[in-house]
Amino acid sequence: MTERIVKLPDANATQQLGIDLGKSLTAGSVLLLIGDLGSGKTTLVQGLAQGMTIVDSIVSPTFTIINEYFSGRLPLYHLDLYRLTNTEVDDLHLESYWLGLETELGIVAIEWAERLSYLPDDYLRIELTYDPVGGRTAKISI
């Protein structure tokens, strides 16, 4: 697994990382987003959507679990597993999103991905940390 550390001095830099990813990722890409509350996971997904030319307002699906967006160059499936137990996550059969079984193949961004007990074969893991003095850091693992 290859790792890269990216310094993100502010929310705009976090969003720009998402924009860059949104412009380059292909259908079937899965982003596993790890980080504490306030670390920038949703900000990154907002940038991702912008880079994918999605015009909808992107909000965290903390209570709805899954938000689906179809207005961009590819579908975006934004999942938030924060409020779920591992068993509840397993019961959702999320692999249908990254395998394109019941939905059109798109980009899947999963917040609180550490709650997954099974992972896709290929994914991009982004661990975000926040330091009030130094800003955010993204550790990107491929």
Side-chain angles (χ1 to χ4, degrees):
M1 185 167 276
T2 304
E3 289 185 358
R4 179 173 63 123
I5 304 291
V6 178
K7 291 287 190 185
L8 305 166
D10 55 28
N12 289 336
T14 304
Q15 193 166 30
Q16 186 61 52
L17 174 61
I19 291 169
D20 294 342
L21 290 170
K23 289 178 179 178
S24 63
L25 292 175
T26 59
S29 297
V30 179
L31 280 74
L32 305 181
L33 304 174
I34 312 292
D36 292 334
L37 289 170
S39 62
K41 295 179 298 295
T42 300
T43 301
L44 187 117
V45 175
Q46 290 167 339
L48 179 70
Q50 188 177 345
M52 295 172 63
T53 67
I54 292 173
V55 296
D56 302 312
S57 177
I58 305 299
V59 295
S60 180
T62 301
F63 295 100
T64 59
I65 312 300
I66 302 168
N67 287 340
E68 300 177 342
Y69 304 95
F70 297 99
S71 65
R73 66 177 183 85
L74 291 169
L76 171 62
Y77 306 108
H78 183 194
L79 292 69
D80 187 326
L81 308 180
Y82 178 70
R83 299 193 177 279
L84 302 177
T85 66
N86 291 28
T87 302
E88 290 170 327
V89 170
D90 290 347
D91 290 344
L92 290 175
H93 301 286
L94 299 176
E95 68 276 5
S96 65
Y97 281 97
W98 60 73
L99 295 175
L101 298 177
E102 298 174 13
T103 58
E104 182 182 350
L105 205 56
I107 296 174
V108 182
I110 306 172
E111 295 190 36
W112 301 96
E114 62 271 25
R115 290 189 165 85
L116 289 169
S117 60
Y118 53 91
L119 299 175
D121 292 336
D122 295 307
Y123 56 86
L124 183 65
R125 184 179 192 274
I126 303 176
E127 184 174 349
L128 293 159
T129 55
Y130 176 71
D131 175 357
V133 176
R136 293 181 174 99
T137 300
K139 182 165 86 172
I140 303 171
S141 305
I142 300 173

